[in-house]
Amino acid sequence: MLDWWLPENVSTYGRDIDWLFHLIYAITAITLVLVTVTLIAFLIMYRDRPGRRARYTHGNTTLEIVWTVVPSLILVILTFLSVPAWSKIKMQAPPPSDFELLVTAKQFNWQVTYPGPDGKFGTEDDKTLLDEMHVPVNKVVHVTLQSQDVIHSFFVPQFRMKQDAVPGRQIVQWFEATKVGKYELPCAELCGFGHSGMRGWIYVHTPEDYQKWAAENLQAAAAPAAEEKKAEAAAAPEKKDAAPAAKTGGKAKR
């Protein structure tokens, strides 16, 4: 209905969020019209005219109760209507996925880390990109957010995704992009003098294009690390064998 004034939705849960936005817009628009019409009517009805004297009034208790209770009920109803979407996105465990990324926010960039062949973060075969994320389309992606300094906010309008990165915490967020493209990743939390320049890009590829990109950038980068590990493992027994020999040689000299 009002999709034309929102960023394009390319997320599986975006429609649930947009529906709530549209409902709030409708309620706000109706309220605006009622208040504006009433204001104009009162300006005309109670305008200054010759022979009319101002009269003090304490107010209308019934009217005050109505305009307090009605907005309260609207807020309660909106809360209940938003629970399913909020629970699906934030409260429940993310849908299962074998695609996990570690995003570290710092002043003033995003560090996106891909696990190596071992599937673990914090090892030598990890691959870290600066202000750049590549994911396949129609794939659930788990993003573990953390911050090195201050509060940042991971915000992708087209994904209907916004989550703060808080120092000292790791927060898991997820998304599933439904359209191939390039999407801006700005920081939505004032994080310092370079805040306005803190932005990255998320590239959503077809599965085939992503596999090609991963082969050229992730697997190729992990190969040297794997070879280095093999070399270290092969050298380890030689060092162990050399140690007793050195001790024996020392005794012979004595």
Side-chain angles (χ1 to χ4, degrees):
M1 180 176 61
L2 299 174
D3 294 337
W4 58 272
W5 69 357
L6 290 176
E8 181 184 13
N9 169 40
V10 297
S11 171
T12 51
Y13 52 69
R15 187 169 297 277
D16 297 334
I17 295 176
D18 287 354
W19 179 82
L20 289 169
F21 268 110
H22 294 159
L23 177 60
I24 294 171
Y25 289 152
I27 294 173
T28 304
I30 292 172
T31 304
L32 174 64
V33 171
L34 291 176
V35 170
T36 303
V37 170
T38 303
L39 175 62
I40 294 174
F42 282 4
L43 287 173
I44 296 173
M45 293 169 57
Y46 300 107
R47 68 187 185 278
D48 182 31
R49 285 182 288 183
R52 171 174 286 185
R53 294 177 58 84
R55 179 171 59 89
Y56 173 79
T57 175
H58 173 70
N60 188 310
T61 303
T62 302
L63 186 59
E64 292 178 2
I65 292 175
V66 169
W67 71 39
T68 301
V69 172
V70 170
S72 300
L73 288 176
I74 292 174
L75 291 176
V76 171
I77 292 172
L78 287 174
T79 299
F80 279 105
L81 291 176
S82 66
V83 165
W86 183 260
S87 177
K88 174 183 177 181
I89 301 168
K90 297 287 188 179
M91 302 296 290
Q92 298 177 1
S97 177
D98 58 355
F99 198 103
E100 298 185 2
L101 299 174
L102 176 64
V103 176
T104 304
K106 60 178 295 187
Q107 296 173 315
F108 297 95
N109 56 50
W110 302 100
Q111 296 178 346
V112 182
T113 302
Y114 290 76
D118 60 2
K120 298 178 180 178
F121 292 107
T123 56
E124 295 180 355
D125 58 358
D126 289 355
K127 174 68 174 180
T128 299
L129 305 178
L130 190 64
D131 296 329
E132 185 178 340
M133 178 187 295
H134 295 260
V135 298
V137 71
N138 297 322
K139 178 75 173 180
V140 175
V141 178
H142 291 185
V143 178
T144 301
L145 291 171
Q146 60 183 16
S147 173
Q148 286 188 2
D149 36 48
V150 299
I151 297 177
H152 299 273
S153 187
F154 188 96
F155 178 45
V156 188
Q158 291 84 357
F159 295 176
R160 305 301 189 261
M161 174 184 177
K162 186 176 185 293
Q163 176 62 57
D164 286 352
V166 182
R169 290 190 60 188
Q170 286 193 333
I171 302 173
V172 179
Q173 180 66 13
W174 69 277
F175 66 86
E176 182 180 355
T178 59
K179 183 178 180 180
V180 172
K182 177 182 176 182
Y183 305 100
E184 185 179 7
L185 169 58
C187 176
E189 189 75 31
L190 184 59
C191 56
F193 70 92
H195 163 71
S196 61
M198 182 174 174
R199 67 172 185 170
W201 298 96
I202 298 180
Y203 299 86
V204 180
H205 303 277
T206 62
E208 297 77 15
D209 288 343
Y210 177 78
Q211 290 299 328
K212 181 180 179 180
W213 176 86
E216 295 175 354
N217 296 273
L218 302 182
Q219 299 169 13
E227 292 298 330
E228 186 177 345
K229 283 187 177 181
K230 290 181 181 179
E232 291 178 356
E238 296 179 1
K239 291 181 180 179
K240 291 181 179 179
D241 293 341
K247 290 181 181 179
T248 305
K251 289 179 180 179
K253 289 181 181 179
R254 292 178 184 174

